[in-house]
Amino acid sequence: MHRLWLLITTLIFTLFMVNHALAQESTEDLIAQAVTASEKGELKQARSLLLEAVAQSPDSSLAYTRLGGVQLLQQEYGPGIESFQQAIMLDKGNADAFIGLSLAYLHQGRHALAREALKEASKLGTAKQQEIDKVLVWLDQRDTEMTH
């Protein structure tokens, strides 16, 4: 009886691991399809695919980051901020999510929050450092002009 229980437990664990691996592969496929749709300008399709990816893998920082990006393109800044914040909660080292968050804040006119998000992205060391620096300089100039 003990061996049967051990066999059943092992089988259940194996099935769980296979399902988890398939879900991960499927999530990556959904994200890739969404990126392709987004590049074609099919934002509704991309959003739908990313919502499916998030539902399938709620622990995927990348899925939330991509969803936030599509929401920005659709000018859905509030939902975009929520998606980027979720991505950051899942992966504090996700520089792209901090950059996306800053863009959403900029579109809402929330410049101080945008600056803080860019500073966090900058601390993480990103290939987009030059772009970050340009926006930070623009924000500094804007603040200087506003105080004069």
Side-chain angles (χ1 to χ4, degrees):
M1 185 67 167
H2 178 68
R3 285 185 176 204
L4 179 60
W5 181 249
L6 184 61
L7 180 62
I8 290 171
T9 304
T10 303
L11 182 59
I12 290 171
F13 178 75
T14 302
L15 287 173
F16 172 77
M17 294 305 291
V18 168
N19 280 342
H20 181 71
L22 290 174
Q24 287 297 95
E25 182 178 326
S26 183
T27 300
E28 291 171 8
D29 289 343
L30 288 169
I31 293 170
Q33 291 171 29
V35 168
T36 301
S38 178
E39 289 171 350
K40 291 180 181 178
E42 299 168 354
L43 298 180
K44 286 184 182 180
Q45 168 86 15
R47 185 176 184 274
S48 176
L49 289 164
L50 290 166
L51 286 171
E52 187 177 340
V54 164
Q56 182 175 307
S57 294
D59 60 340
S60 174
S61 180
L62 179 60
Y64 278 104
T65 301
R66 297 290 187 254
L67 177 59
V70 168
Q71 289 166 322
L72 276 183
L73 291 171
Q74 292 180 310
Q75 299 179 351
E76 297 176 352
Y77 306 122
I81 288 170
E82 291 174 14
S83 293
F84 290 125
Q85 288 173 334
Q86 184 63 34
I88 292 165
M89 283 178 34
L90 292 168
D91 178 6
K92 304 236 184 297
N94 186 339
D96 288 339
F98 279 109
I99 292 169
L101 182 61
S102 73
L103 289 172
Y105 284 142
L106 282 172
H107 282 285
Q108 289 187 328
R110 299 164 75 182
H111 298 114
L113 291 172
R115 179 190 323 275
E116 292 308 311
L118 286 174
K119 287 180 181 178
E120 288 302 316
S122 186
K123 288 179 192 175
L124 295 171
T126 173
K128 298 172 182 152
Q129 189 60 51
Q130 288 181 336
E131 291 86 353
I132 290 171
D133 291 340
K134 287 177 186 178
V135 176
L136 287 171
V137 166
W138 177 82
L139 285 168
D140 290 342
Q141 289 174 341
R142 185 188 171 288
D143 287 349
T144 300
E145 291 171 5
M146 298 290 285
T147 59
H148 286 92

